[in-house]
Structures are given as structure tokens and as C-alpha cells.
């Protein structure tokens, strides 16, 4: 009774399952297909976030890069902070923009490391 990973969502399912009970994705049982570990690696690569996109989003809309990386609460908090800063100190609030851009980039790296730890149980 071996367990394998779903090719659609990455959850563990029984090897004889024809479809994933979590997401409903059909499972291929043909031995000529790539291995289940390779599928999991492809799934993780597909779900990784780009640091450049997160940085660009934080530059255009403060906090949007965090939301892109799955940190919605932090993204909303950053947006509210920047709006409040503009309302109180005006254009001087632009001082915070480089920090948001850099941290957006780093936020994507943190997201990707966490994704690898969740699926493989080790740091890369």
C-alpha cells in the first residue's frame, strides 16, 4: 500500500487511485510516464514565485508583491501604511519604496524556500 503524490495538487494519495480525492485530477498509471517524484518537482517549480515580479508589483502597488507571494495580510498592511504615510508626510513617503521593492524580491525567495520545505521536508 504505497502512497504517491497527486499530479494536480501534490497531496499524498493511494497509488491505485484513478483520481485525486482532494482536487479531482486524473492520475496516470502508465509505467512509461515520468516518475512521481519528477512530477512533484515539476509541480513545485510551477508554483514558485518570481522575485522580480514581486518586486515590480510592490513598486507599482505597495503590498501587491506580498499578496502575490501569498501574504495577503502583510500586503494589505503595507498598502495601508504607505497610504497613511503619503497622507501625513506627503512625497517624503517615497523613502519607503526601495525597502518595499527589495523586500518584495526577498519575500518571493522566502515563499519558494517554504514551498520546498513543505513538499520535500528539507531546505534547498
Amino acid at each position: 500500500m504505497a502512497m504517491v503524490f497527486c499530479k494536480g495538487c501534490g497531496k499524498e494519495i493511494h497509488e491505485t487511485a484513478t483520481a485525486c480525492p482532494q482536487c479531482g485530477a486524473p492520475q496516470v498509471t502508465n509505467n512509461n510516464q515520468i516518475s512521481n517524484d519528477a512530477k512533484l518537482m515539476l509541480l513545485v517549480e510551477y508554483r514558485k514565485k518570481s522575485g522580480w515580479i514581486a518586486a515590480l508589483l510592490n513598486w507599482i502597488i505597495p503590498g501587491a508583491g506580498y499578496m502575490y507571494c501569498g501574504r495577503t495580510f502583510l500586503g494589505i498592511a503595507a498598502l495601508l501604511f504607505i497610504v497613511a504615510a503619503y497622507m501625513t508626510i506627503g512625497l517624503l513617503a517615497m523613502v519607503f519604496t526601495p525597502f518595499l521593492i527589495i523586500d518584495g524580491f526577498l519575500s518571493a525567495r522566502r515563499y519558494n524556500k517554504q514551498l520546498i520545505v513543505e513538499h520535500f521536508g528539507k531546505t534547498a
Side-chain angles (χ1 to χ4, degrees):
M1 300 246 197
M3 300 296 280
V4 296
F5 294 102
C6 169
K7 72 175 191 171
C9 66
K11 299 286 184 186
E12 270 193 315
I13 60 172
H14 193 269
E15 67 180 353
T16 60
T18 57
C20 176
Q22 296 289 327
C23 68
Q27 305 300 307
V28 178
T29 57
N30 189 349
N31 290 335
N32 295 331
Q33 298 293 326
I34 59 176
S35 74
N36 200 39
D37 289 337
K39 288 180 187 179
L40 181 61
M41 289 176 68
L42 288 172
L43 177 70
V44 168
E45 285 298 317
Y46 175 75
R47 289 185 178 172
K48 280 186 176 180
K49 303 294 182 185
S50 168
W52 296 108
I53 292 175
L56 181 66
L57 286 171
N58 264 357
W59 178 56
I60 295 171
I61 303 170
Y66 298 128
M67 291 182 211
Y68 167 70
C69 293
R71 302 193 65 195
T72 307
F73 181 75
L74 179 62
I76 292 170
L79 180 62
L80 293 176
F81 173 76
I82 293 297
V83 168
Y86 272 108
M87 291 174 63
T88 56
I89 61 175
L91 290 178
L92 190 58
M94 290 177 57
V95 154
F96 299 113
T97 303
F99 296 108
L100 281 173
I101 293 169
I102 292 168
D103 196 46
F105 184 84
L106 296 175
S107 182
R109 292 185 69 191
R110 289 188 295 265
Y111 174 87
N112 293 337
K113 284 183 181 181
Q114 182 62 33
L115 185 68
I116 291 170
V117 168
E118 285 177 9
H119 287 286
F120 296 110
K122 60 184 175 184
T123 58

